[in-house]
Structures are given as C-alpha cells and as structure tokens.
C-alpha cells in the first residue's frame, strides 16, 4: 500500500463516519477487515512511518500545550490523532506543529478546562490489530502476522532525531517556538 492509498483509506473512513455517526477508529477497523491481510499489514506499516515521523520535540510541545501536559503514552495517542485528521492536516502539522492553532477542535479546546481528549486518539493506534482480530477472532493474530511481515526489523536500532530539546514548562520558550498555540493556551502574545 503506497502512501496515497493509505490516505484514501483514512478518507473513506471519514466519509463513512459522516454518514453513520460511528467513531472513526471503529469504521477504520471495519473497512480494513474487508481488505486482504497483506494490505492491513501494509496499512500498519504506513501508519507506523507517519507516526514515527511526528516523533519530534516540536510536535510533542504542541501536544503538551493542547493537552495541558503530555506523557510518553499520551504523545503516542496525539500522533495517532494527527494522522486521524487526514492528509492535509497531517502535512501541515509535520511542516509546522504550530499550525494546529488554526484547527477548529484546538481552538475550541482552548476555551475548555478539561481538554485532555482533543486530538489524543488512542484507538487509532490499534486499527490494524483490530481488523485482524475481527477477521480471525484472535487478539494476537496481528502481532504474529506483523512479526512475519517485518521479520527482524520490528524494532529499529536507528536513533531518532527529534530535533532540539527544550523546556515545555518555560512559557517564553514555548511562545517563541509555538507562538500561535502559546497564545491560545498560555494567553501570551506572539
């Protein structure tokens, strides 16, 4: 599955959620389960690539501002949430995490006290495994197929370049690096 097909899968899931009102991850599991197992594994591979590409300090800082804090696990869910937004938003965030200040859900979250769920979409991380479980009835079927599909490469030894680390609790630094998000969530002026 190439990257365009991956985004087509996400778009098709969004289209169905608009028609049925079901949750995106549930529709995605259902739609993936209708595909051959090889395609589900390829979907998972593209998802992981996109997910890993957002493993950067600047993206984490955006998640920290939007979520009012962000643990390691929450950052996984945030990156899944960015993928769930679709290709255009994903590309915007990958180029400039501060662009999330223009997303309607983020703008709305800035005015809500408990905003921990905005863009943090844990279940998106498990769509491929959910599809395998639906097909096979076995919760471990995906992981067995994944090990076979990826071989010894399931854990990468490559060091990840997350960019420059900085203090997320330093409002001045956050305002310098993410001025629009800082304005929304810290009340600072860019």
């Amino acid at each position: 599955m190439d990257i365009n097909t991956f985004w087509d899968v996400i778009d098709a899931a969004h289209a169905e959620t608009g028609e049925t009102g079901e949750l995106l991850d549930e529709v995605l599991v259902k739609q993936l389960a209708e595909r051959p197992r090889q395609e589900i594994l390829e979907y998972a591979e593209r998802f992981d690539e996109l997910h890993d590409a957002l493993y950067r300090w600047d993206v984490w800082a955006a998640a920290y501002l939007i979520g009012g804090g962000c643990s390691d696990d929450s950052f996984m869910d945030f990156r899944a949430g960015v993928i769930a937004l679709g290709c255009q938003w994903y590309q915007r965030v990958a180029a400039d995490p501060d662009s999330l200040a223009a997303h309607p859900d983020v703008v709305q979250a800035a005015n809500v006290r408990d905003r921990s769920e905005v863009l943090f979409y844990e279940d998106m991380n498990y769509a491929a495994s959910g599809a395998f479980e639906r097909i096979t009835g076995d919760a471990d079927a995906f992981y067995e197929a994944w090990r076979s599909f990826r071989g010894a490469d399931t854990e990468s030894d490559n060091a990840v370049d997350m960019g420059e680390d900085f203090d997320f609790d330093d409002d001045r630094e956050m305002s310098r690096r993410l001025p629009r998000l800082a304005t929304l969530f810290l009340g600072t002026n860019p």
Side-chain angles (χ1 to χ4, degrees):
M1 174 178 295
D2 66 21
I3 195 66
N4 292 326
T5 303
F6 174 90
W7 288 118
D8 289 344
V9 169
I10 298 292
D11 289 345
H14 272 290
E16 187 171 327
T17 63
E19 295 170 9
T20 66
E22 293 175 85
L23 295 174
L24 179 64
D25 64 283
E26 293 172 2
V27 169
L28 190 55
V29 167
K30 181 176 65 176
Q31 289 183 359
L32 286 171
E34 296 170 355
R35 294 176 172 267
R37 292 178 190 193
Q38 179 70 20
E39 285 186 30
I40 298 169
L41 293 167
E42 291 169 357
Y43 164 89
E45 187 173 45
R46 295 294 83 73
F47 182 91
D48 283 356
E49 289 169 359
L50 293 166
H51 198 260
D52 292 350
L54 293 177
Y55 193 70
R56 303 185 336 233
W57 290 117
D58 57 345
V59 177
W60 203 330
Y64 191 88
L65 285 171
I66 293 167
C70 186
S71 68
D72 294 351
D73 285 347
S74 293
F75 188 45
M76 286 178 54
D77 301 344
F78 181 82
R79 290 179 287 147
V82 171
I83 293 169
L85 295 176
C87 184
Q88 289 183 344
W89 272 104
Y90 177 89
Q91 290 175 342
R92 287 176 72 176
V93 172
D96 177 18
D98 199 35
S99 67
L100 280 168
H103 192 279
D105 292 342
V106 174
V107 172
Q108 182 179 358
N111 298 313
V112 177
R113 225 183 229 315
D114 180 19
R115 59 186 187 256
S116 61
E117 297 300 315
V118 175
L119 300 187
F120 292 78
Y121 202 162
E122 179 180 11
D123 291 339
M124 283 295 292
N125 288 307
Y126 309 110
S129 61
F132 257 80
E133 184 173 1
R134 183 173 287 202
I135 292 168
T136 66
D138 179 0
D140 295 325
F142 170 77
Y143 302 102
E144 294 166 10
W146 184 248
R147 280 189 295 277
S148 177
F149 177 72
R150 293 297 303 257
D153 188 38
T154 54
E155 292 296 322
S156 176
D157 292 330
N158 298 334
V160 176
D161 180 8
M162 293 181 63
E164 183 182 354
D165 187 6
F166 56 97
D167 184 0
F168 296 169
D169 291 318
D170 181 340
D171 289 357
R172 294 182 81 180
E173 189 64 18
M174 293 293 266
S175 295
R176 185 177 77 75
R177 292 177 185 261
L178 300 165
R180 292 173 289 172
L181 284 171
T183 298
L184 282 175
F185 292 101
L186 300 176
T188 60
N189 293 321

